[in-house]
Amino acid sequence: MLSDFDKAEIRVQYRDAADKRKQIGILADLYACSKEDILNALNLDTENDTTVRSEPAAQKKKRIVRSYDQAVKKDVVKAILLDGNTHEAVAERFGIPLSTVTHWVQRAKKAQAKVMADADAIAKAPLPSASTKCEKEESERKALGMCIIQELRAGINGLHAFMDNFAGVDILSDDERSILDRILHTASGFADGFETGIALAEKAQQRNNFVEDDPCKS
């Protein structure tokens, strides 16, 4: 049954239609009612109007799908899901077909269910273990240590090359050359010791991981 709001809307659309005969069929499809209902809403005489009898059922026009602003859709869904109004009441208030309102609400519920499912999956996802975090930190420290060693050895090799290239030139005194030799010797020893320390720390970490993962440990 057409509401008073529907009837008022039908009159406006009929008045603005270019082809009023065709518009009666279009309005009947749009509001899911008979042409007689449309004619009654328009206060037209069904006996004198030939559109009801002349148009075969097979030639009925397809239903016109109206578009609505996103804000309207949000207000409709909110009025039902949050404010607790019925589908029928909201459809009548906004002047929107009940089937359209039902479709919007169902789609909103599906989207809401998907968001909740995604949030639940994130909440249940396992957090990185402490051992994984420690392994990452250890790997970063090792990479930093190797970078320091490479830079140190590059400096040592560069200083060696400088001294070798100017071995026959009196740029440095014997005392200065002796000091540089001691610096190079100390730096080389430091690089060797640092590299050895990194290797020993890595082996110790591997042993600890083996003990932690051993199912036979006490």
Side-chain angles (χ1 to χ4, degrees):
M1 181 175 180
L2 296 173
S3 65
D4 292 338
F5 185 92
D6 290 338
K7 291 178 180 179
E9 191 176 33
I10 287 170
R11 295 188 191 101
V12 173
Q13 296 185 52
Y14 180 81
R15 182 193 63 198
D16 298 337
D19 189 334
K20 297 190 182 301
R21 287 180 178 273
K22 291 183 178 180
Q23 186 65 18
I24 292 176
I26 292 173
L27 291 171
D29 288 341
L30 183 61
Y31 289 90
C33 62
S34 66
K35 289 183 178 180
E36 287 82 358
D37 292 334
I38 299 297
L39 292 172
N40 289 333
L42 296 171
N43 296 322
L44 295 178
D45 186 3
T46 58
E47 295 293 331
N48 296 327
D49 191 271
T50 58
T51 58
V52 178
R53 298 184 299 274
S54 61
E55 184 181 19
Q59 296 180 358
K60 282 188 176 182
K61 299 296 182 180
K62 292 183 178 180
R63 182 174 179 177
I64 305 299
V65 179
R66 292 181 294 177
S67 60
Y68 297 89
D69 293 338
Q70 191 65 28
V72 175
K73 297 180 181 179
K74 290 181 179 179
D75 290 341
V76 168
V77 172
K78 177 178 177 295
I80 294 174
L81 296 184
L82 298 183
D83 299 339
N85 295 290
T86 64
H87 290 59
E88 293 78 5
V90 174
E92 185 174 355
R93 185 203 307 174
F94 287 88
I96 298 173
L98 179 60
S99 59
T100 302
V101 171
T102 302
H103 174 68
W104 291 350
V105 173
Q106 289 176 347
R107 188 167 59 182
K109 287 182 177 179
K110 289 181 180 179
Q112 186 181 37
K114 184 178 184 304
V115 171
M116 295 299 293
D118 292 343
D120 186 59
I122 293 174
K124 293 180 179 179
L127 296 174
S129 62
S131 60
T132 301
K133 184 178 179 180
C134 292
E135 290 174 0
K136 181 180 179 181
E137 293 176 352
E138 184 64 27
S139 177
E140 291 175 351
R141 285 195 295 269
K142 179 183 177 183
L144 177 61
M146 296 304 297
C147 183
I148 293 174
I149 292 174
Q150 291 176 0
E151 293 293 335
L152 184 58
R153 291 197 183 280
I156 294 171
N157 293 335
L159 189 54
H160 270 302
F162 171 78
M163 295 179 64
D164 292 341
N165 290 334
F166 294 95
V169 181
D170 295 333
I171 295 179
L172 301 174
S173 65
D174 292 340
D175 291 339
E176 291 172 336
R177 187 175 294 276
S178 177
I179 292 173
L180 285 178
D181 284 336
R182 287 198 298 273
I183 292 174
L184 288 172
H185 179 74
T186 302
S188 297
F190 174 77
D192 292 339
F194 194 33
E195 189 171 11
T196 301
I198 292 177
L200 291 175
E202 183 177 7
K203 290 182 179 179
Q205 183 63 38
Q206 290 175 352
R207 285 196 299 270
N208 291 337
N209 293 340
F210 176 78
V211 172
E212 292 175 358
D213 296 337
D214 188 359
C216 298
K217 67 180 181 178
S218 56

